[in-house]
Amino acid sequence: MTERSQPELIDRRRTEVDEVAVGPDTLVLGIETSCDETAASLVMGGSDIVSSVVSSQIDLHASFGGVVPEIASRAHLDLLNPVIARAIVEAGVDDRRIDAVACTIGPGLIGALLVGVSAAKALALAWDVPFVGVNHLEAHLYAALLDDPTIEFPIVVLLVSGGHTMLVEMQEPGVYRLLGQTIDDAAGEAFDKVARYLGLGYPGGPAIERIALEGDPAAIRFPRAMRGEGLDFSFSGLKTSVINYVRKHPDVETADLSASFQEAVVDVLVEKARRAAVEVGAKGIALGGGVAANGRLREAMLGACAEDGIHGYVPSRDMCTDNAAMIAAAGWHRLRLDGPTPLDEGAHPNLKLAPPT
Ligand code: KG4
Ligand code: ZN
């Protein structure tokens, strides 16, 4: 390192903002450490995935029934460097070919976020390339685009993860508007809480989906909250209904219970996404977020879109759950639209999906 001071270096990076040319050959390294996945990926031109490595910590947290923040931070510290190295090796490129480093700056667990943000800034400084701070929720919106770069806009994205459930209008990449969101639990949270109550383990979504395959989705008619009201969601009442039902009917088949619960969640998600698409005149509906890996939701959404004569964009399961390709893609668009993020940017555990200014 030269004798240059840190503030001077930061200033220097800011002045280079206008000089960054972002195009189809721009190669972005994406880094994701917001929760329990340590991931790195190289994406070219905002949509061409050159490599994508995801190291899941699920096994470390499973015995605790959920993500333990301190364990997650420590695991990210151990895993991040090897994961980044593997992403570069798998891409078969020299690190001098990397044009920018994008990283999730929020929302997420603060300790976990800081591991990624510190690494990303260090690499950007060392390689003398721009650093781009990415909103994890915005990144989930790009899952469908990574699978199908020919998407016709505008689209409605149903973003359903462990911490969030929202409907977003995407007018074009990088330009979006929040249409509705959950007023209490996220859909994934409902899956996780119901699974924990039923003793099915963590994460709850895949466990419920598996057992629901053997059950009857019409066995129990659980409530569909806020069905006729606007584009917001509510899932905490559904979770309580499941618990109350089990208390009253202790001999109920877990498969029927799981299938009926899953059906209630899927019904509401599909119906509201459909209504949102009509309201904004969307040409299609895209799924994103971990719950979008759910087979029943994918099937129901595609069926609804076919009925309504619009496109259904259902990304591969790997793109729905947390990964770094979506971070690199979002980073490419943010770099194109806003330029690099200053190196004094921090991590923001409660970052919201705000329309870009
Ligand atoms: O997007 P994600 O990987 O992480 C967050 O940003 O939250 O989402 C994780 C959530 C968990 O709640 C998990 O139970 C749920 O996605 N999930 C599923 C399925 N796979 C993951 N929910 C329903 N069905 C699935 N197959
Ligand atoms: Zn996520």
Side-chain angles (χ1 to χ4, degrees):
M1 188 68 68
T2 66
E3 57 288 344
R4 240 194 281 259
S5 69
Q6 179 72 5
E8 273 174 316
L9 275 170
I10 291 172
D11 276 354
R12 188 167 64 88
R13 303 225 52 80
R14 279 190 178 136
T15 55
E16 284 168 4
V17 166
D18 300 335
E19 294 158 28
V20 180
V22 182
D25 295 337
T26 304
L27 186 62
V28 178
L29 168 65
I31 294 175
E32 159 62 34
T33 64
S34 67
C35 192
D36 59 344
E37 257 96 29
T38 314
S41 166
L42 282 165
V43 173
M44 176 118 72
S47 61
D48 192 0
I49 303 172
V50 187
S51 67
S52 178
V53 178
V54 180
S55 172
S56 173
Q57 305 173 7
I58 280 179
D59 293 348
L60 291 179
H61 301 284
S63 61
F64 298 96
V67 178
V68 183
E70 186 58 27
I71 293 176
S73 314
R74 286 167 192 268
H76 285 308
L77 269 177
D78 285 344
L79 294 165
L80 187 54
N81 279 341
V83 164
I84 293 172
R86 214 172 107 199
I88 295 173
V89 168
E90 282 186 12
V93 298
D94 189 287
D95 54 30
R96 277 170 299 194
R97 173 65 185 80
I98 295 168
D99 299 304
V101 183
C103 178
T104 302
I105 56 169
L109 303 168
I110 182 66
L113 287 167
L114 283 170
V115 175
V117 170
S118 311
K121 287 180 184 174
L123 288 173
L125 258 180
W127 293 337
D128 198 21
V129 297
F131 162 71
V132 193
V134 169
N135 182 320
H136 181 90
L137 299 173
E138 182 184 354
H140 270 302
L141 303 180
Y142 290 93
L145 205 61
L146 276 165
D147 262 15
D148 181 358
T150 67
I151 280 184
E152 284 180 58
F153 291 94
I155 56 168
V156 162
V157 185
L158 172 65
L159 170 47
V160 267
S161 69
H164 300 85
T165 296
M166 44 182 67
L167 282 164
V168 180
E169 178 190 3
M170 206 169 183
Q171 286 117 13
E172 58 183 85
V175 184
Y176 48 82
R177 184 166 67 99
L178 183 63
L179 300 170
Q181 61 187 324
T182 181
I183 59 165
D184 43 52
D185 290 355
E189 199 177 346
F191 270 98
D192 292 337
K193 285 179 175 171
V194 167
R196 188 190 302 191
Y197 178 71
L198 299 177
L200 298 177
Y202 175 86
I208 289 195
E209 179 177 8
R210 221 173 300 119
I211 195 154
L213 288 174
E214 268 127 52
D216 174 7
I220 307 153
R221 179 75 192 171
F222 285 120
R224 273 69 169 156
M226 299 177 70
R227 192 168 204 166
E229 303 163 41
L231 297 176
D232 285 338
F233 303 91
S234 166
F235 290 109
S236 76
L238 174 58
K239 172 200 66 197
T240 311
S241 296
V242 173
I243 294 172
N244 288 341
Y245 191 91
V246 176
R247 286 200 181 128
K248 275 195 208 136
H249 308 87
D251 297 332
V252 61
E253 288 289 333
T254 305
D256 286 344
L257 196 73
S258 300
S260 301
F261 159 77
Q262 177 175 271
E263 199 64 14
V265 176
V266 168
D267 252 10
V268 179
L269 292 175
V270 171
E271 186 175 315
K272 299 232 171 191
R274 247 173 148 166
R275 191 174 323 139
V278 172
E279 276 185 24
V280 304
K283 296 202 173 121
I285 298 174
L287 293 180
V291 182
N294 183 274
R296 179 67 196 119
L297 174 61
R298 298 162 76 85
E299 173 193 57
M301 190 61 83
L302 283 176
C305 289
E307 250 176 50
D308 295 350
I310 57 175
H311 293 286
Y313 299 108
V314 173
S316 66
R317 284 181 166 80
D318 287 351
M319 278 304 117
C320 291
T321 48
D322 284 350
N323 65 84
M326 67 183 194
I327 307 299
W332 185 88
H333 286 289
R334 289 266 67 89
L335 190 61
R336 176 175 68 82
L337 295 165
D338 306 335
T341 305
L343 285 179
D344 53 1
E345 179 69 74
H348 305 276
N350 300 313
L351 195 63
K352 302 277 177 273
L353 183 73
T357 48

